[in-house]
Amino acid sequence: MSSSLLVPTLSQIQVYPVKSIAALTQSQAWVEKQGLAFDRRFMVASDKGVMITARKYPQMVKITATLTMTGLVLQYPNKTDLVLQYADFAMVDVPATVWNDNFSAYTTTVIANQWFSDIIGHSAQLLFCGQQSNRVRPKIGHNVSFADGYPLLIISEASLATLNERSSEQHTMAQFRTNLVVSNTDAFAEDGWKRIRIGEVEFEAVKPCARCILTTIDPLTGEFNALKEPLKTMATFRANATGDVFFGQNLVALNEGTIRAGDVVEVLETKTKEIYADNAETKLLLTCVEREDIASDFTTFWLESHQQSPLPTYLPGQHLPLQLEINGEFIARRYTLSSSPSRPGRYAISVKRINDGRISNWLHQNFHVGDVLAADKPGGDFHLGRHTDKLLLLSAGSGITPMLSMLRYLSDHDNIRDVVFYHQCSTEADIPSLQELHQLEKMHPSLDLRIVLSQPKRDWQGESGRLSLSHLAMISNLDQRQVFVCGPNAFMDTAKKLLLKMGVSPARYHQEAFGPLGGSSTPKQAVKLNIDGHIFKGNNQQTLLEQAEAAGVELNYSCRAGFCGACKVTLTLGQVEQPDVPALLPQERQQGKILACCCIPKTDLKITK
């Protein structure tokens, strides 16, 4: 249908009775200047009145609300319902803080405070803004509820559909915590609206809505997305010059009245749309050209460009991000490339079938020669790099895939100089690419091939058992080697402990690990943190922002995901683990800038804001 014939229609109305909990869908709503009736009229706060949100406590999105004539009922999995009656509220005037806004709010009940404290894991209180909020925002000229900054948010269904076309995963409107959802528009039509009328109410679009880590929380599980989607995708086509990511438009109501789902959205005045650079890279379409069984339930899928264009280059050990459609659901997975960049024109992923592995079983059963899948360009920090001499390639199970890539690359460049290739699997039938490994062993006298079986037959002549000190003790010059490790988590944890115990320097230890920064297997150590003269004890496990908050040291933040740069500080002494994120430019890294929300201390630190 031509865009000129589309009639924008209000398809959903959503309120969030308590800030950061799940949405409550309504067929109609009363609109006030301070926002929709019942929307964000309650807020969980610290004992000092500072807002507590799902940005830090994602489990809050699993709290649901039901409105009653005299209050509301809140529910949380495996917890007794919290029944709130307005008549029971203590209504003691106390300080409250939302971002930089300081105002007064009202206490509710001791039982409510304890209920939320149990969910959060520390002392908290439930505050009520009253019939009319005391929080007046000069930018809009009147009061606002506990919402982040503006009373209402509007997003079109077409905008979400366009995001999903670009993202490696499928997202729902619930992730964006909007009040108003509009159908029958072009994508991002709302960006061009200045004034609109819905039902009895006229609204003004004040500014685009900057998005944060909240959008990456799964509304059902209350867990952060490991790949920081959809922020990662939005950053490629909805970010401004400073890195802020925008999706949806903030609204203020110009009068009060009723709106209903199904109402026409009448555009009264338009504005020039914001322009965002489109830096998204085109998806790779890859055709399966060959399937090769390399061991029991272990298959290599050889892939070529469906577009007949050159494939992006990669480094031996890097992974390929795939997007698969299974029964109508789009699922993103990363598989390490077992092929070598020294053999261009083809990618190879080697997939071990796992009993309960949804993706591995689907690939084995359904992905055949001639089938096509979508992928992003290869990437990852785990790769061979410049190392060629004195190597230990240590793997177990499907962790052999990056090691095959590295070994093939070294062989093709005649660079196998004192390489120990150690692989552990269950039985002889589980040894991947055994014939090729033996051929490489014959070709390269400096290759020491060690296959270790945990469940060998009696006639097995090689090493057996699980990785142990005795196995590693047989490797010459162990403390001089660059060590690359990949395998199941338990195997990698054991390998790291044993290798460090035997004198391998952490600087020589390289481990493959998918997922977000955090949950490090690095042994926990205490560190001293100094932020503008505030000195406190920290650790090498949590982010700098989390530790500062726990110590009562205030740091600016917004997205908590490395996209906005609000938490940027200067490191004057010490070392941190700082992931590569959009809000930190290479020249800023050289100047000592770090992002408190996503860096983890490695040593004692001295920080200036």
Side-chain angles (χ1 to χ4, degrees):
M1 182 183 293
S2 170
S3 59
S4 62
L5 300 178
L6 293 175
V7 179
T9 304
L10 182 63
S11 57
Q12 290 183 49
I13 304 171
Q14 296 177 331
V15 298
Y16 307 83
V18 183
K19 187 178 180 70
S20 274
I21 74 165
L24 181 63
T25 301
Q26 298 183 319
S27 59
Q28 65 179 47
W30 176 256
V31 182
E32 300 174 343
K33 293 288 189 71
Q34 62 180 343
L36 297 181
F38 305 110
D39 186 50
R40 296 174 176 94
R41 302 304 167 90
F42 294 88
M43 177 178 79
V44 184
S46 69
D47 294 337
K48 295 182 179 180
V50 178
M51 69 173 182
I52 290 174
T53 74
R55 291 176 180 85
K56 188 172 181 181
Y57 303 97
Q59 65 270 30
M60 292 179 68
V61 303
K62 295 194 294 181
I63 300 171
T64 58
T66 302
L67 302 178
T68 68
M69 293 291 291
T70 56
L72 65 160
V73 178
L74 298 173
Q75 296 179 305
Y76 186 79
N78 303 316
K79 191 168 179 58
T80 303
D81 293 356
L82 174 64
V83 180
L84 290 172
Q85 303 284 349
Y86 292 116
D88 295 337
F89 291 176
M91 294 298 287
V92 175
D93 195 314
V94 294
T97 302
V98 174
W99 298 114
N100 295 321
D101 294 343
N102 298 304
F103 53 99
S104 64
Y106 305 99
T107 58
T108 54
T109 70
V110 173
I111 293 174
N113 296 346
Q114 187 58 55
W115 195 83
F116 278 98
S117 296
D118 291 343
I119 294 172
I120 298 302
H122 63 75
S123 180
Q125 59 178 326
L126 180 66
L127 300 182
F128 177 49
C129 72
Q131 290 299 318
Q132 287 294 322
S133 170
N134 298 316
R135 178 190 178 200
V136 176
R137 301 208 72 223
K139 285 186 177 181
I140 58 178
H142 56 73
N143 63 338
V144 181
S145 68
F146 289 125
D148 269 0
Y150 295 89
L152 298 109
L153 176 65
I154 190 168
I155 300 175
S156 70
E157 293 174 356
S159 299
L160 177 63
T162 295
L163 170 62
N164 282 332
E165 289 174 2
R166 290 171 173 260
S167 178
S168 60
E169 303 188 11
Q170 293 295 287
H171 308 288
T172 65
M173 198 64 81
Q175 291 172 247
F176 299 94
R177 309 185 64 78
T178 188
N179 297 112
L180 308 179
V181 180
V182 182
S183 61
N184 298 333
T185 71
D186 292 330
F188 305 109
E190 62 270 30
D191 288 357
W193 297 343
K194 178 61 178 173
R195 283 190 307 118
I196 60 175
R197 182 185 293 118
I198 304 174
E200 300 174 348
V201 185
E202 189 173 317
F203 300 90
E204 181 180 358
V206 183
K207 66 183 291 293
C209 181
R211 307 319 305 234
C212 70
I213 196 72
L214 266 175
T215 61
T216 73
I217 301 173
D218 186 318
L220 298 179
T221 65
E223 297 176 349
F224 288 114
N225 182 281
L227 302 179
K228 291 188 178 178
E229 289 290 2
L231 274 182
K232 182 179 177 182
T233 295
M234 290 194 294
T236 66
F237 78 112
R238 296 288 298 177
N240 65 8
T242 62
D244 284 333
V245 175
F246 298 93
F247 195 77
Q249 293 287 320
N250 289 303
L251 301 180
V252 295
L254 301 180
N255 64 286
E256 298 187 344
T258 301
I259 59 174
R260 296 177 175 84
D263 282 346
V264 169
V265 179
E266 184 181 356
V267 180
L268 303 176
E269 184 180 347
T270 61
K271 63 179 180 180
T272 302
K273 289 185 177 183
E274 296 80 7
I275 298 175
Y276 305 108
D278 192 341
N279 299 314
E281 295 179 349
T282 304
K283 291 278 185 190
L284 300 174
L285 293 179
L286 303 173
T287 302
C288 180
V289 295
E290 182 183 350
R291 286 177 53 134
E292 176 188 4
D293 294 329
I294 60 173
S296 175
D297 284 331
F298 209 157
T299 299
T300 293
F301 299 88
W302 290 93
L303 311 168
E304 293 183 0
S305 171
H306 186 70
Q307 300 103 320
Q308 303 299 313
S309 55
L311 294 173
T313 58
Y314 61 99
L315 298 171
Q318 289 188 309
H319 58 256
L320 183 68
L322 302 179
Q323 180 176 308
L324 306 172
E325 184 179 359
I326 300 178
N327 298 325
E329 180 183 357
F330 289 88
I331 300 172
R333 285 293 186 273
R334 290 180 284 176
Y335 281 101
T336 301
L337 288 160
S338 54
S339 53
S340 169
S342 54
R343 308 173 190 180
R346 279 189 175 189
Y347 290 157
I349 57 169
S350 300
V351 181
K352 176 77 172 174
R353 185 198 293 264
I354 303 172
N355 287 338
D356 297 324
R358 181 183 180 190
I359 309 305
S360 65
N361 277 282
W362 186 89
L363 285 169
H364 275 257
Q365 295 169 9
N366 299 285
F367 192 58
H368 301 291
V369 172
D371 291 337
V372 179
L373 55 73
D376 291 318
K377 71 176 184 179
D381 296 328
F382 183 77
H383 53 79
L384 190 60
R386 56 184 172 79
H387 306 297
T388 56
D389 295 336
K390 289 192 180 303
L391 302 178
L392 169 58
L393 307 181
L394 187 66
S395 62
S398 58
I400 197 173
T401 53
M403 309 312 176
L404 287 174
S405 179
M406 293 178 188
L407 192 62
R408 289 164 172 164
Y409 180 85
L410 292 169
S411 176
D412 289 348
H413 289 86
D414 197 22
N415 256 344
I416 294 183
R417 305 189 191 102
D418 194 0
V419 175
V420 177
F421 190 99
Y422 177 111
H423 180 68
Q424 177 184 292
C425 52
S426 298
T427 69
E428 198 165 355
D430 296 310
I431 305 172
S433 303
L434 181 58
Q435 183 177 353
E436 179 186 1
L437 290 173
H438 281 317
Q439 289 176 342
L440 291 172
E441 186 181 30
K442 291 178 182 178
M443 291 171 55
H444 304 282
S446 294
L447 172 61
D448 181 2
L449 179 63
R450 294 171 178 262
I451 304 296
V452 182
L453 303 184
S454 58
Q455 301 174 27
K457 292 183 178 180
R458 291 185 178 180
D459 58 352
W460 172 249
Q461 300 297 313
E463 295 180 74
S464 61
R466 297 192 179 276
L467 182 66
S468 65
L469 285 173
S470 60
H471 288 163
L472 295 176
M474 298 173 65
I475 299 174
S476 62
N477 302 313
L478 183 61
D479 61 340
Q480 300 175 30
R481 296 183 181 277
Q482 295 287 339
V483 180
F484 293 85
V485 181
C486 187
N489 288 336
F491 173 83
M492 292 196 292
D493 289 344
T494 298
K496 187 168 188 177
K497 290 176 184 176
L498 294 178
L499 288 162
L500 295 181
K501 185 175 182 179
M502 297 189 71
V504 173
S505 167
R508 293 177 177 269
Y509 182 90
H510 314 279
Q511 178 175 301
E512 172 65 295
F514 291 146
L517 189 66
S520 171
S521 60
T522 302
K524 187 173 182 178
Q525 293 181 350
V527 296
K528 184 173 71 173
L529 304 178
N530 181 338
I531 301 179
D532 277 352
H534 297 278
I535 300 174
F536 57 96
K537 184 178 179 180
N539 60 65
N540 63 343
Q541 303 290 310
Q542 297 173 289
T543 67
L544 179 61
L545 178 58
E546 291 172 329
Q547 298 188 61
E549 290 175 329
V553 178
E554 290 189 8
L555 288 176
N556 291 329
Y557 72 88
S558 180
C559 75
R560 299 184 79 100
F563 285 87
C564 72
C567 65
K568 196 174 297 177
V569 292
T570 302
L571 177 65
T572 59
L573 183 66
Q575 295 181 326
V576 300
E577 186 72 31
Q578 173 64 69
D580 185 15
V581 289
L584 197 61
L585 302 175
Q587 57 265 36
E588 291 179 316
R589 284 176 176 265
Q590 296 174 2
Q591 296 165 2
K593 301 292 185 182
I594 57 175
L595 295 182
C597 74
C598 54
C599 77
I600 295 179
K602 296 172 68 175
T603 65
D604 294 347
L605 303 181
K606 187 174 182 181
I607 303 290
T608 58
K609 296 184 191 178

